[in-house]
């Protein structure tokens, strides 16, 4: 898959649910209306879609949400997708999680073929964590991180920098992460979805945080790129790495190799644009044409991934969508622009 700007699409982020057991203030509103379950792709459809993308050249697959580990029977999906890691078709199967359920799943994830995970954690202070996540219990996440490290998963920590909530805590988090051999990545808050808060009260440019860290630590830019938007720096004093994802202060689109599929099967070519292709409709149409509809609905396919669809329509729909991938996103947070850049929450498309 090559887009009109010559970028090879090799990375898929697949959201498996819009639901979550937390309500982070920058991600969701306090009262969220979630999608009816019938609108979600079934586990079979998620497997079929991911497999189709892998056949079309995706090498890295990240499962996300919402919170992927609250989706019922999610380990079945990981176990099935693990076959692509075993065959060598997929270089990496990974996930982004808030870590609350990780202690229950770390072992299963490793057995399924996952080797690296991202865990989102925005504070190490019990009360601040509870406030930012609207009710989350920090010890659950810390136990989850330890369980993941113990089974041999490489853990990267994601932290959204929040002007009034965690700026003072970031240095401590970095030192904490590096002491556990974890890379920490800081993320600038993005104006996605109405979260019932003023984005200007949340947003702080990462350049401010980097400047502050540089007063105390020796940060050296690294050539390392993971195909994502993160720019990494080595921290001499801790021996660890810190990543910066700066959608607002520094555009990173020229090297974008990714697309995203929502839990309802909408393919977004860019996180910052509204244009999408409805792959669920194409898949269900193809199922009906193929006569497999009843079986798929009954959930029989995931037990038997030998069952095949032609997938011709699905692949054609993906190809057509890739021709519409835009050159760059267009996020802004400024006084004259208080509305979300996009009505869609991050939990819909997956981070
Ligand atoms: N629930 C999982 C988690 O929190 O890791 C996966 C989904 S979450 C939407 C993925 C990532 O997006 C998290 O690291 C989260 O902090 C980040 N995120 C959510 N809303 C965001 C926003 N408005 N701006 C920047 N990052 C955001
Ligand atoms: Fe849930 Fe992740 Fe969004 Fe927080 S960032 S509300 S954990 S989906």
């Amino acid at each position: 898959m090559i887009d009109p700007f010559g970028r090879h699409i090799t990375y898929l982020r697949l959201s498996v649910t819009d639901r979550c057991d937390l309500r982070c203030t920058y991600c969701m509103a306090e009262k969220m209306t979630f999608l009816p379950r019938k609108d979600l792709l079934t586990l079979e459809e998620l497997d079929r879609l991911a497999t189709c993308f892998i056949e079309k050249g995706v090498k890295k697959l990240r499962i996300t949400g919402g919170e992927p580990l609250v989706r019922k029977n999610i380990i079945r999906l990981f176990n099935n997708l693990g076959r692509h890691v075993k065959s060598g078709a997929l270089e990496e199967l990974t996930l982004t999680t808030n870590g609350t359920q990780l202690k229950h799943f770390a072992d299963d994830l490793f057995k399924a073929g996952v080797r690296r995970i991202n865990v989102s954690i925005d504070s190490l202070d019990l009360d601040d964590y509870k406030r930012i996540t609207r009710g989350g219990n920090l010890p659950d996440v810390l136990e989850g991180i330890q369980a993941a490290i113990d089974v041999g998963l490489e853990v990267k920590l994601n932290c959204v920098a929040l002007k009034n909530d965690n700026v003072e805590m970031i240095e401590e988090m970095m030192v904490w992460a590096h002491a556990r051999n974890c890379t920490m990545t800081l993320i600038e808050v993005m104006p996605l979805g109405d979260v019932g808060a003023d984005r200007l009260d949340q947003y702080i440019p990462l350049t401010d945080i980097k400047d502050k860290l540089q007063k105390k630590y020796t940060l050296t830019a690294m050539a390392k790129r993971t195909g994502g938007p993160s720019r990494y720096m080595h921290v001499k004093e801790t021996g660890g790495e810190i990543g910066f994802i700066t959608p607002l202060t520094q555009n990173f689109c020229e090297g974008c190799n990714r697309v995203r599929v929502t839990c309802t099967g909408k393919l977004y070519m860019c996180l910052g644009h509204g244009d999408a292709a409805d792959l669920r409709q194409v898949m269900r149409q193809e199922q009906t044409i193929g006569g497999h509809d009843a079986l798929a609905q009954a959930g029989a396919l995931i037990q038997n991934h030998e069952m095949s669809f032609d997938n011709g329509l699905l692949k054609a729909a993906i190809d057509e969508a890739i021709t519409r991938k835009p050159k760059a996103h267009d996020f802004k947070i400024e006084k004259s622009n208080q509305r979300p850049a996009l009505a869609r929450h991050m939990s819909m498309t997956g981070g």
Side-chain angles (χ1 to χ4, degrees):
M1 294 178 283
I2 303 177
D3 81 358
F5 306 96
R7 295 170 297 191
H8 289 249
I9 310 304
T10 54
Y11 183 172
L12 171 66
R13 291 194 165 210
L14 180 60
S15 172
V16 295
T17 178
D18 64 328
R19 286 162 202 259
C20 186
D21 52 349
L22 301 180
R23 296 284 182 281
C24 301
T25 46
Y26 53 83
C27 176
M28 292 193 181
E30 194 158 12
K31 289 201 168 49
M32 289 290 288
T33 312
F34 294 110
L35 295 163
R37 285 185 208 279
K38 68 169 177 39
D39 287 356
L40 300 193
L41 296 183
T42 63
L43 292 178
E44 299 72 38
E45 287 171 327
L46 288 164
D47 183 270
R48 178 177 163 202
L49 200 53
T51 301
C52 206
F53 273 97
I54 293 164
E55 285 169 7
K56 291 192 63 54
V58 159
K59 296 282 173 216
K60 183 167 171 177
L61 173 61
R62 179 176 295 278
I63 303 297
T64 180
E67 174 46 40
L69 297 182
V70 302
R71 172 92 195 232
K72 205 171 158 202
N73 295 325
I74 191 65
I75 292 299
R76 252 166 57 193
L77 180 68
F78 277 101
N79 282 336
N80 277 331
L81 291 174
R83 74 188 184 278
H84 298 300
V85 179
K86 285 195 190 89
S87 77
L90 197 58
E91 286 166 11
E92 183 167 42
L93 172 62
T94 182
L95 85 153
T96 303
T97 172
N98 63 26
T100 60
Q101 312 297 315
L102 200 49
K103 59 177 173 239
H104 307 299
F105 292 113
D107 195 34
D108 287 338
L109 289 169
F110 189 89
K111 284 183 182 140
V114 175
R115 290 295 174 266
R116 298 196 309 160
I117 62 172
N118 287 14
V119 181
S120 304
I121 179 166
D122 302 318
S123 181
L124 289 175
D125 178 271
L126 214 64
D127 295 331
D128 286 349
Y129 182 83
K130 190 162 270 199
R131 187 165 37 79
I132 295 169
T133 56
R134 296 198 185 97
N137 182 35
L138 181 65
D140 288 341
V141 182
L142 301 182
E143 277 177 54
I145 292 171
Q146 194 54 51
I149 293 172
D150 289 346
V151 299
L153 290 168
E154 187 183 324
V155 177
K156 197 169 97 184
L157 302 181
N158 282 353
C159 170
V160 176
L162 298 163
K163 186 159 81 181
N164 296 323
D165 286 304
N166 63 5
V167 170
E168 299 305 321
M169 164 62 66
I170 285 175
E171 179 192 342
E172 185 184 332
M173 289 181 72
M174 179 186 82
V175 173
W176 185 89
H178 290 177
R180 282 156 188 79
N181 251 336
C182 301
T183 295
M184 182 166 95
T185 296
L186 298 172
I187 307 173
E188 272 174 1
V189 77
M190 287 177 260
L192 290 176
D194 191 349
V195 292
D198 186 339
R199 292 292 186 185
L200 274 174
D201 290 341
Q202 301 182 326
Y203 172 65
I204 174 156
L206 289 188
T207 40
D208 289 8
I209 293 174
K210 199 196 287 176
D211 289 348
K212 205 170 154 197
L213 286 174
Q214 270 173 326
K215 292 206 169 85
K216 197 162 162 193
Y217 296 90
T218 319
L219 269 56
T220 317
M222 299 171 69
K224 163 176 149 171
R225 296 297 298 268
T226 53
S230 205
R231 309 272 157 100
Y232 290 95
M233 299 192 90
H234 181 262
V235 185
K236 187 175 160 208
E237 289 76 5
T238 60
E241 292 172 13
I242 184 159
F244 296 88
I245 299 185
T246 53
L248 287 112
T249 50
Q250 190 178 34
N251 194 290
F252 46 59
C253 304
E254 79 283 354
C256 182
N257 62 354
R258 63 191 56 195
V259 290
R260 300 162 194 266
V261 173
T262 67
C263 54
T264 59
K266 289 231 158 59
L267 168 61
Y268 282 91
M269 286 66 79
C270 173
L271 182 61
H273 281 260
D275 186 26
D278 186 349
L279 300 182
R280 183 186 64 185
Q281 195 196 9
V282 179
M283 260 197 299
R284 291 188 179 169
Q285 191 187 348
E286 205 158 32
Q287 268 166 217
T288 315
I289 294 168
H292 296 312
D293 199 32
L295 264 178
Q297 296 301 335
L301 284 183
I302 200 135
Q303 309 293 354
N304 173 17
H305 42 69
E306 298 307 312
M307 168 147 309
S308 63
F309 293 102
D310 172 51
N311 283 337
L313 289 178
L314 187 53
K315 286 184 176 164
I318 294 170
D319 283 340
E320 194 280 322
I322 298 295
T323 67
R324 307 202 307 261
K325 185 168 164 65
K327 191 169 181 196
H329 68 62
D330 187 23
F331 294 132
K332 276 192 209 81
I333 296 182
E334 53 197 16
K335 285 206 170 59
S336 59
N337 179 21
Q338 298 289 327
R339 290 162 59 77
L342 289 168
R344 176 166 41 88
H345 287 92
M346 188 74 145
S347 52
M348 265 300 290
T349 346

